[in-house]
Amino acid sequence: MSDHPAAPRPAPKQRRAGITLRQRGAVAARALAAILGGYGVAALSTNALAAVLPLRPVEAVVSATLTGLAVYPCAAMWAFAARSATRAWVGLALFAVVPGLVLLARSGGQS
């Protein structure tokens, strides 16, 4: 290539505009993890916390619900901060194990 300003330059490579189907799927999987997984984690956390708080039942439910309202957006942010949609789902599932075990222990293994 010449340093002369009038010299012809090669045309830049054309990039295909738009979002690929794979990218759309990844965003959809993260959105589902944020919405459904976040709701599940928040619901499990709320139930487990309400069951173990040493307060009157009404106060325990209100306190647990307020905490659940903070857990849900954190879970949703986690879903979009994880490196992949798979890691988002796995992280949410792992977080759901602890309150799930607490609820299982409180129920004595009965349905």
Side-chain angles (χ1 to χ4, degrees):
M1 184 166 185
S2 172
D3 288 335
H4 192 274
R9 294 183 177 201
K13 291 184 180 181
Q14 292 290 333
R15 269 184 70 187
R16 197 170 142 198
I19 299 173
T20 66
L21 190 58
R22 183 177 179 160
Q23 290 169 328
R24 288 178 192 265
V27 171
R30 287 174 186 268
L32 284 174
I35 295 166
L36 300 177
Y39 179 81
V41 166
L44 275 173
S45 298
T46 300
N47 286 333
L49 193 57
V52 299
L53 281 176
L55 302 170
R56 291 186 307 165
V58 172
E59 293 172 350
V61 169
V62 170
S63 298
T65 301
L66 290 173
T67 304
L69 290 173
V71 169
Y72 186 67
C74 291
M77 286 186 282
W78 163 256
F80 285 99
R83 284 186 172 177
S84 68
T86 304
R87 286 188 184 206
W89 278 107
V90 168
L92 290 171
L94 288 175
F95 186 76
V97 166
V98 174
L101 289 175
V102 168
L103 286 173
L104 190 62
R106 294 287 292 189
S107 70
Q110 299 172 0
S111 299

